[in-house]
Amino acid sequence: MGSDEKQFDPVSLGILWNRLVSITDEIESTLVRTSFSTIVSESFDLTVVILDRQGRLVAQGSHSIPVFIGTAPRTLGYMLQKFPPESLSPGDVICTNDPWMGTGHLFDINVMRPVFKSNGELVGYTMSITHLPDIGGMGFGAAATQIYHEGLRLPIVKLVDQGKTNAFILDLLQANVRTPESTIGDLIANVTCNEVGGRQLLEFMDEYSIHDLTPLSNAIRSQSEVAMRKKIREIKNGLYQNKIMIEAIDEAIPLECFIEVKDESIDIDFQGTGGCVNRGINVPFCYTNAMSLYSIKCITIPSLPNNEGASRPISVSAPEGCLLNAQPPYPTGGRHAIGHFVPGLIFGALAEAAADKIQADNGMIDLVTVQGTHPDGRPISTIHFTAGGFGALEGLDGRDCLPGPSNMATVPVEIWETITGMTVVSKKTIPDSGGPGTFRGGLGQEVTLRNDSGNPMTVLSMANRTEFPAPGYNNGRPGTLREHRINGDIIHPKGAHTLEPLDTMTLVQAGGGGIGDPANRPAEKIQRDLSLGLISKEGALRDYGYET
C-alpha cells in the first residue's frame, strides 16, 4: 500500500482498524492468562497498546481502564529520549514505574517492546501497563508523606537486552517487595504479552502486504479526529465553570475547572484547584489528562476505539503544583481517591451545555490494600475492590454496585477467600443509597470481611466520598456517603490500620447521584424499586412523595 491515506476506502479501513484492535485484545488476553496476581487476572487493572514508529497511539485494548487513556505516547516519548530508536535492537524490552513518566504512581509498571521486521527495520512499538501486587515501601495506600515512602522507583531501564533478561533488575525487585513471586511473575507476564503482540503485528502486516504502518496510522487517527470534532460541534459553544469541594486529609480542598467549547475543540483548565497535601493522594498531570479525555469521550463517542486522533481536539492544563498536577516529592500512591472526582467536575461544568449527555456523579470504586501472612505461611499483598453506585444518566437509572469512573472488576468471593485467608462475612446492597431523581442513582453496598488468617493484617484505606456525596444533576439528588469500619468503629478513610485475627472490616459504599427531579419519577418505577428492596417505604415517601 502506498503512503497516501486516501487509498483506504471505508470498508478496508474498518477491517484493518478492527484487526489492530483485535491484536491488542489478544495481547491483553495473553497478559491476563500469564499473570500471577488477581489484580490483573480478575480485576483487569491493565492496558495494552500499539504505537507506530513515530510513537503515536494507533490501537488500545478493549478492557483498558480510563486512567490509561493517552498515557502511553507520553511514556514512550520519555523512553525514546533515553533509548533513541536507532539504539534499540530486536529483543529489547524497556520498562519504568516512574509516576511522572508513566501513569501517576509507582504501582503501575510500563513495559515497552520495539517491533522489528526480519530485516531489522523498526515498524512500531507495543506497550503494556499493569498494577503490580507490591513495589515495597509502605504499600499501595494514602498514608505516605513523600514519594520515597511509597516504594521502589525504577527509572527507565532496559529490562531485556537483545533477548537477555537483566538479572539485576529482577534481583532488585525480589529484595524490595513483600510478594516477589507474584510481582516478578506479573512483570514477566508483561514481557511475554509484548512478545506475542509484536509477533502478531508483523503477521498482520505480512497478511495485508503493509510495509509501513504510518499510512494506516494516519488514516485511523485522522478518521477518529474528524469523528470527535463532529461530535464536539453538538455541544453548545461557551465558557463553562464548575467548582467542588472534596475531602483530602485534614480539611476540604477545592477542585475547579474552566471549559471552553469552541466549535470543534474543547479546552479544559483546572485553574483554581487547591494545592498538594502531605499524603499519598496527589495526582500527577498524566492522570488528570487521562480522566479529562475519558470524560469528553463519554459525552461524545463512547464507542470510538482509543487512539491519538480522538484526543487531538481536546487540550488539558493544570497549574503546576496544584493537587491535579503534583510534582515530586509529593506522594501519589492513592491518586485515584482524588483523580476520580475529575469526570464529575467536568460533567458538572457541562450540565447546561450538554444536559442530555452528562452523567450524575458516581459512588466510585473503593480500594483497600491488604498485607499480611496467609494461613499457609505465604506473604500477602493484594487489593480488595468494592464498587459504589453508578451515577444516573438521562433516560437510565444508575447501575447498582458498578464502579465508575474506573471499570476494574471485583475479585470473586471464593478467590478472595482462597488467596487471603479472609472470610467475606456478608455482602448486600444498601436500600435508599442511590440518589433520588427522575432517574435514580445506583445503590451502594455493604461488605464485611473477617481476618481468619490467624495473623495480624495491615489494611490501607484509600476511601473517598466520605464527606461529599456523589452529586446529582438537572435537579437530581446526591447519593449516600462511604464509611470504613473496623469492629463497628469508623476509621480514618485514608489511613493504615491493623486488623487482628478475627477482627472485621466493614466497607460501606457510596451511592450514585440521580438525574432529574425526583417528583417526575414514574410511579411504576417507584413500585418496582420497592418490590426489589432498592428503596424503603420511608425512602419512597421522603424522596419521592410516594405513599404505599
Side-chain angles (χ1 to χ4, degrees):
M1 293 182 179
S3 59
D4 188 352
E5 64 185 48
K6 293 181 181 178
Q7 292 187 13
F8 295 101
D9 64 85
V11 174
S12 297
L13 180 59
I15 291 171
L16 296 174
W17 192 348
N18 286 336
R19 276 294 302 275
L20 283 173
V21 173
S22 72
I23 290 171
T24 62
D25 288 343
E26 185 62 29
I27 303 171
E28 181 184 278
S29 179
T30 302
L31 178 58
V32 169
R33 291 198 307 268
T34 57
S35 66
F36 280 48
S37 76
T38 55
I39 300 169
V40 177
S41 65
E42 297 290 340
S43 296
F44 292 86
D45 192 345
L46 56 82
T47 195
V48 298
V49 299
I50 294 173
L51 307 104
D52 63 21
R53 64 184 177 192
Q54 287 80 29
R56 298 169 302 195
L57 180 63
V58 182
Q60 187 163 12
S62 301
H63 284 96
S64 173
I65 63 174
V67 301
F68 297 148
I69 295 176
T71 64
R74 188 187 302 259
T75 303
L76 179 61
Y78 285 116
M79 289 177 169
L80 297 182
Q81 285 179 19
K82 184 166 184 179
F83 296 100
E86 61 271 17
S87 72
L88 297 174
S89 301
D92 286 353
V93 177
I94 314 297
C95 72
T96 184
N97 72 334
D98 185 283
W100 287 273
M101 296 180 183
T103 61
H105 67 181
L106 293 172
F107 306 92
D108 289 340
I109 190 72
N110 304 259
V111 180
M112 180 276 284
R113 184 185 182 99
V115 181
F116 290 90
K117 291 183 179 180
S118 58
N119 64 3
E121 179 187 355
L122 178 67
V123 298
Y125 307 87
T126 62
M127 184 184 295
S128 61
I129 307 169
T130 65
H131 186 115
L132 293 174
D134 193 58
I135 200 64
M138 297 179 69
F140 179 39
T145 58
Q146 289 187 320
I147 190 71
Y148 312 111
H149 302 156
E150 294 189 317
L152 183 66
R153 185 175 171 187
L154 286 172
I156 293 170
V157 295
K158 191 173 282 191
L159 177 62
V160 182
D161 189 351
Q162 299 183 55
K164 184 177 181 181
T165 302
N166 186 336
F168 171 74
I169 300 298
L170 300 186
D171 290 344
L172 183 66
L173 278 169
Q174 185 161 0
N176 279 276
V177 302
R178 297 169 182 82
T179 53
E181 180 178 301
S182 59
T183 300
I184 293 174
D186 275 13
L187 177 60
I188 299 304
N190 278 271
V191 175
T192 301
C193 78
N194 280 283
E195 166 72 21
V196 170
R199 184 171 67 241
Q200 291 206 348
L201 181 60
L202 292 174
E203 291 172 354
F204 161 77
M205 294 176 69
D206 287 344
E207 180 180 348
Y208 289 95
S209 301
I210 297 173
H211 306 295
D212 181 1
L213 271 180
T214 303
L216 178 57
S217 170
N218 290 341
I220 289 172
R221 291 180 295 105
S222 177
Q223 182 79 3
S224 300
E225 181 180 357
V226 168
M228 177 60 76
R229 291 190 184 279
K230 182 179 179 181
K231 278 294 183 180
I232 290 175
R233 274 195 167 275
E234 297 178 6
I235 303 173
K236 188 168 70 173
N237 278 353
L239 180 62
Y240 306 97
Q241 180 267 348
N242 190 26
K243 181 177 182 178
I244 62 173
M245 300 301 292
I246 61 167
E247 62 269 16
I249 299 300
D250 299 319
E251 60 184 18
I253 290 181
L255 297 185
E256 188 167 8
C257 74
F258 295 85
I259 301 176
E260 185 174 9
V261 181
K262 300 179 296 185
D263 297 329
E264 298 181 345
S265 66
I266 292 180
D267 297 331
I268 304 172
D269 184 1
F270 292 96
Q271 188 76 36
T273 293
C276 292
V277 297
N278 290 320
R279 284 289 183 91
I281 57 173
N282 302 288
V283 187
F285 181 74
C286 56
Y287 194 98
T288 301
N289 185 66
M291 286 281 89
S292 301
L293 297 177
Y294 163 76
S295 303
I296 300 304
K297 181 179 180 181
C298 284
I299 63 173
T300 52
I301 319 177
S303 60
L304 182 68
N306 292 330
N307 62 74
E308 195 168 314
S311 62
R312 278 184 192 156
I314 307 161
S315 69
V316 183
S317 61
E320 190 170 294
C322 79
L323 191 59
L324 295 177
N325 189 359
Q327 301 296 310
Y330 281 108
T332 66
R335 85 262 198 256
H336 70 277
I338 302 299
H340 282 181
F341 283 97
V342 168
L345 178 68
I346 291 174
F347 293 155
L350 296 174
E352 176 188 345
D356 61 333
K357 297 179 176 66
I358 62 166
Q359 176 194 11
D361 216 345
N362 301 293
M364 302 186 185
I365 197 167
D366 190 14
L367 277 62
V368 176
T369 297
V370 175
Q371 300 168 347
T373 304
H374 193 274
D376 66 9
R378 290 183 288 114
I380 300 167
S381 182
T382 190
I383 306 170
H384 187 274
F385 297 88
T386 319
F390 205 63
L393 296 100
E394 186 67 35
L396 290 172
D397 288 347
R399 287 293 188 95
D400 305 326
C401 311
L402 184 70
S406 183
N407 58 352
M408 289 175 287
T410 299
V411 176
V413 168
E414 298 82 359
I415 294 176
W416 175 260
E417 292 181 338
T418 300
I419 66 172
T420 63
M422 301 182 83
T423 299
V424 180
V425 178
S426 64
K427 193 172 185 179
K428 55 188 178 183
T429 56
I430 305 173
D432 300 326
S433 56
T438 307
F439 304 100
R440 176 183 46 76
L443 268 58
Q445 59 182 314
E446 180 180 302
V447 179
T448 298
L449 311 173
R450 186 174 65 230
N451 178 9
D452 287 335
S453 70
N455 303 290
M457 285 181 156
T458 298
V459 290
L460 293 95
S461 294
M462 294 168 278
N464 49 24
R465 290 274 178 245
T466 56
E467 297 177 35
F468 298 95
Y473 295 128
N474 304 336
N475 297 315
R477 297 182 190 170
T480 57
L481 293 171
R482 174 173 282 115
E483 285 183 354
H484 284 188
R485 307 174 189 151
I486 291 181
N487 298 329
D489 297 325
I490 297 175
I491 60 174
H492 195 290
K494 295 181 178 69
H497 311 278
T498 299
L499 207 60
E500 298 291 346
L502 301 182
D503 279 357
T504 60
M505 184 174 195
T506 299
L507 309 172
V508 180
Q509 299 305 299
I515 286 280
D517 191 331
N520 295 329
R521 186 166 178 82
E524 58 270 21
K525 288 192 174 183
I526 300 174
Q527 292 169 351
R528 180 179 181 275
D529 288 349
L530 281 166
S531 66
L532 294 175
L534 304 178
I535 61 174
S536 65
K537 292 181 180 179
E538 296 77 14
L541 181 61
R542 179 188 64 241
D543 299 328
Y544 298 98
Y546 183 86
E547 191 168 0
T548 57

